[in-house]
Amino acid sequence: MTTVKLPWDMEVELLTWLPPRSLVRFRAVCKKWNSLLNDKSFLNQHSSRSRPQFIFLTKSKTYSIDVDLGGAGVGPTIKMCEVASDFPCQPMNWENINVASCDGLLFREFLRKGVAVWNPWLKHMGLIEFKEKDFYFGGVGYDSNRPEKGYQILGYFCRVDDTCKKGYDKFAVYECAAKTFKCIDSPFRKWSLWSAITEAAAPLSLKGNLFWIGYCNEIRESTIQSFSFSRGIFIKKFCMLPCEKVFYVNKLVLAIYKGDRLSLLNQRYATGKIEIWVTKDKIDDRAQVVWENLMNLSTTNLPRLKDEYYGVRYFIIDKTIIMCYENSQTGAACVYIVSGDMFKKIPIDYGNVLECYHRVYFPNLIRLPLEFRRSLEI
């Protein structure tokens, strides 16, 4: 039997489409493939093609949920896998737990101890330890103007004004490589003034900057707000929301779209109908943002999302919305897949969903930066 050897560029092209779990195993196939999986340009190309997943943290384990949309008469399915998380998970405190994702790396805060950073597919784990133990994690990003990513953490210190005896938060940026803090000016007196009204414990990290939905008192409207690590400033009005809204009535959820854009889910309180909006172009912290209406979903079979501040995550593939919804009252968790006339609800069974935390995660095989490569001792 004659063996046909594929051209090298075709091998590379095929490998970029494989899921991270498969690529990790393929390191042992040959030295050439192992070297390829350390090549930064290949990893960036693979990352751009990786489908988002849901990542779940429970009291004792961490899981990923991969969604297969099916085709050729086969319906959508989900695949649940346990992934590496070698840190000892503490009992969940939903007021304090904070998990963020930035370019394929996951960050989890351990109060008074630091922030664990890990890539679950490579089983790499590290710990960022703060000398100042009263520093609270807010979000993670980097200066996109630098040739090499230097990860930075936005957070705050709780302080009390000696004059009026009122509490306030002192905002700061922690440089992970230099292990130094830099205090910054903020338009917010308290972290809770903006973080409490977003739909996730941590803002979205997109291309190095942070984004969330907040209320702008100056114009009395809700806006997309941002923190730019390259400029070191908060932006209270990064752009306006695209839809008619009543901020404290409609359910608004912000997500990443196509890896470099934003999407917005708006469920109307009166009708339950859902609008999905996406930005037309790649996000740039200085360019004007243009929104487009991608799809509208009827109320049929879709849950009411109002008041579920931590139980709603979604992402979009083509014109299919994949939403993970966790009902805080009943404890039921499901993945909803909707595209045109196609609707599927898939229950998730992994124990008590009231004792978990989940986010959307964009998996890749990028190694931890040097400043994070240390053993985790918690």
Side-chain angles (χ1 to χ4, degrees):
M1 182 177 179
T2 304
T3 301
V4 178
K5 184 173 177 61
L6 294 175
W8 174 242
D9 58 346
M10 187 175 294
E11 283 188 42
V12 173
E13 175 68 15
L14 292 173
L15 289 172
T16 61
W17 291 98
L18 293 179
R21 182 179 291 271
S22 299
L23 279 182
V24 170
R25 296 199 304 266
F26 288 168
R27 280 185 177 275
V29 171
C30 63
K31 291 182 179 180
K32 200 172 184 180
W33 281 16
N34 184 57
S35 298
L36 178 68
L37 297 182
N38 291 322
D39 182 80
K40 185 175 293 186
S41 61
F42 171 81
L43 293 176
N44 289 335
Q45 187 178 11
H46 178 265
S47 177
S48 68
R49 293 176 173 178
S50 294
R51 286 190 171 186
Q53 299 176 348
F54 297 111
I55 196 87
F56 281 75
L57 276 75
T58 69
K59 283 187 175 181
S60 59
K61 296 181 179 180
T62 302
Y63 300 93
S64 71
I65 293 184
D66 190 18
V67 179
D68 186 343
L69 297 180
V74 179
T77 58
I78 64 173
K79 183 178 181 180
M80 191 166 179
C81 299
E82 184 178 348
V83 295
S85 55
D86 295 331
F87 50 78
C89 292
Q90 299 172 340
M92 296 302 185
N93 182 335
W94 299 118
E95 293 181 358
N96 294 325
I97 188 172
N98 203 343
V99 178
S101 174
C102 180
D103 288 7
L105 299 179
L106 289 165
F107 296 77
R108 179 187 173 185
E109 180 181 28
F110 286 85
L111 290 177
R112 306 288 181 179
K113 295 176 181 178
V115 175
V117 53
W118 84 104
N119 186 325
W121 298 110
L122 294 179
K123 301 181 181 180
H124 289 174
M125 182 76 67
L127 179 65
I128 306 167
E129 297 180 273
F130 306 124
K131 291 183 179 179
E132 291 78 1
K133 300 302 182 183
D134 59 342
F135 180 69
Y136 290 85
F137 176 87
V140 61
Y142 51 86
D143 184 348
S144 57
N145 293 329
R146 297 180 184 178
E148 294 292 332
K149 290 180 184 177
Y151 286 92
Q152 303 176 38
I153 293 175
L154 173 67
Y156 63 99
F157 300 94
C158 294
R159 297 289 185 261
V160 176
D161 191 317
D162 293 332
T163 304
C164 62
K165 303 301 180 182
K166 290 184 178 180
Y168 69 96
D169 292 334
K170 186 176 181 180
F171 289 79
V173 170
Y174 179 80
E175 292 264 2
C176 295
K179 302 178 186 177
T180 57
F181 287 97
K182 179 182 179 181
C183 292
I184 56 173
D185 295 329
S186 168
F188 310 102
R189 180 181 177 85
K190 296 284 288 182
W191 181 267
S192 59
L193 289 181
W194 62 274
S195 65
I197 58 178
T198 64
E199 67 291 327
L204 292 177
S205 179
L206 175 61
K207 297 301 180 184
N209 295 326
L210 299 176
F211 297 89
W212 64 92
I213 302 169
Y215 189 79
C216 185
N217 290 320
E218 291 80 1
I219 60 174
R220 296 184 178 180
E221 282 201 52
S222 49
T223 62
I224 303 294
Q225 300 179 352
S226 175
F227 181 79
S228 170
F229 284 95
S230 57
R231 299 160 64 187
I233 61 171
F234 285 93
I235 305 172
K236 287 191 71 175
K237 195 177 75 171
F238 178 78
C239 69
M240 302 300 296
L241 297 183
C243 48
E244 180 185 351
K245 60 274 175 186
V246 182
F247 186 78
Y248 289 104
V249 177
N250 288 4
K251 178 62 180 180
L252 302 170
V253 185
L254 194 65
I256 295 174
Y257 177 61
K258 291 188 175 180
D260 55 16
R261 308 173 194 199
L262 292 172
S263 68
L264 178 73
L265 180 153
N266 175 39
Q267 186 176 51
R268 295 177 178 271
Y269 178 79
T271 64
K273 291 184 177 180
I274 292 177
E275 305 168 351
I276 302 294
W277 296 81
V278 298
T279 55
K280 182 179 179 181
D281 302 309
K282 298 178 182 179
I283 290 296
D284 184 296
D285 66 353
R286 295 179 184 270
Q288 184 177 2
V289 176
V290 178
W291 292 90
E292 297 179 327
N293 180 235
L294 184 68
M295 65 179 81
N296 296 296
L297 308 175
S298 68
T299 58
T300 306
N301 297 322
L302 291 171
R304 290 283 184 148
L305 306 176
K306 179 61 178 170
D307 297 328
E308 297 293 345
Y309 291 101
Y310 297 98
V312 182
R313 301 285 186 271
Y314 80 95
F315 57 86
I316 299 166
I317 299 176
D318 297 325
K319 284 199 172 184
T320 301
I321 179 170
I322 298 98
M323 180 175 68
C324 184
Y325 169 72
E326 174 190 329
N327 190 307
S328 60
Q329 301 297 319
T330 65
C334 296
V335 172
Y336 293 84
I337 303 172
V338 185
S339 178
D341 296 331
M342 186 273 289
F343 172 89
K344 189 161 185 179
K345 175 183 176 181
I346 306 175
I348 301 172
D349 182 16
Y350 59 94
N352 188 351
V353 299
L354 297 180
E355 298 176 347
C356 76
Y357 185 93
H358 65 282
R359 290 192 67 84
V360 173
Y361 168 60
F362 290 78
N364 65 35
L365 298 177
I366 295 176
R367 297 172 62 86
L368 294 189
L370 288 174
E371 60 264 32
F372 299 147
R373 293 183 199 173
R374 31 180 126 157
S375 61
L376 183 65
E377 298 176 354
I378 295 181

